[in-house]
Amino acid sequence: MDVLAEPRPGAPAPEASRFAGALSGTVEVRPSEKDGRTSTRFTVSADETVLPGHYPGFPIFPGVCLVEYVHLSVLATASAEEPEPELVAVESARFTGPVYPGDELTADIDWKPVDGGAWQCRAKIRSGRGDAASVRLRYRRATEGASA
């Protein structure tokens, strides 16, 4: 998946950030109007390789791909000065509405510090039809716990 990210305020502007993933679309970082929130956008292409098998004749974007979208959003918005965050847990994922080819998704992401120096990412994903998923991921800095 190609990720084109606008840097956070004060961070140096990268030309483009690329992260490997199962998705073929582009995650776009959007300006957020709420302090402490990140917002991204992703359009589900009809060419996504996961669609023909999920489900044949009636394609629905798989829930695991929504989790991947949130994770790639986190990587795209990570500060250039900090180590890349390491995903350590998928704490929860609730899929509340179908996502179809052609849907434009938005994810609003909030961060919360949790015990042990970890961070919790809470994301709400919406399509043009309404809520699609709520995902909660736990991260730590890639250097934390590396020797354990």
Side-chain angles (χ1 to χ4, degrees):
M1 165 175 233
D2 291 336
V3 179
L4 301 178
E6 291 297 320
R8 288 186 178 167
E15 290 178 25
S17 299
R18 297 192 183 279
F19 302 98
L23 308 181
S24 62
T26 300
V27 171
E28 299 173 50
V29 179
R30 301 170 47 157
S32 179
E33 298 187 11
K34 295 185 179 180
D35 202 21
R37 280 203 173 155
T38 301
S39 182
T40 63
R41 181 176 45 216
F42 174 78
T43 300
V44 178
S45 169
D47 297 335
E48 288 289 347
T49 59
V50 298
L51 291 172
H54 197 267
Y55 294 93
F58 188 72
I60 298 175
F61 198 56
V64 69
C65 293
L66 296 174
V67 174
E68 177 79 356
Y69 163 46
V70 172
H71 176 62
L72 292 171
S73 294
V74 165
L75 295 178
T77 59
S79 170
E81 291 96 32
E82 295 289 325
E84 184 175 294
E86 178 184 4
L87 177 64
V88 294
V90 176
E91 292 184 344
S92 70
R94 181 171 293 174
F95 308 109
T96 55
V99 175
Y100 301 111
D103 281 356
E104 183 179 288
L105 303 176
T106 58
D108 292 321
I109 300 170
D110 287 316
W111 288 94
K112 174 183 164 188
V114 292
D115 50 87
W119 287 85
Q120 184 183 78
C121 163
R122 293 176 180 224
K124 186 77 149 180
I125 302 171
R126 293 181 178 84
S127 73
R129 284 180 302 288
D131 291 347
S134 296
V135 176
R136 207 168 57 225
L137 305 176
R138 184 177 292 240
Y139 288 87
R140 68 176 173 215
R141 287 190 180 98
T143 56
E144 293 176 16
S147 61

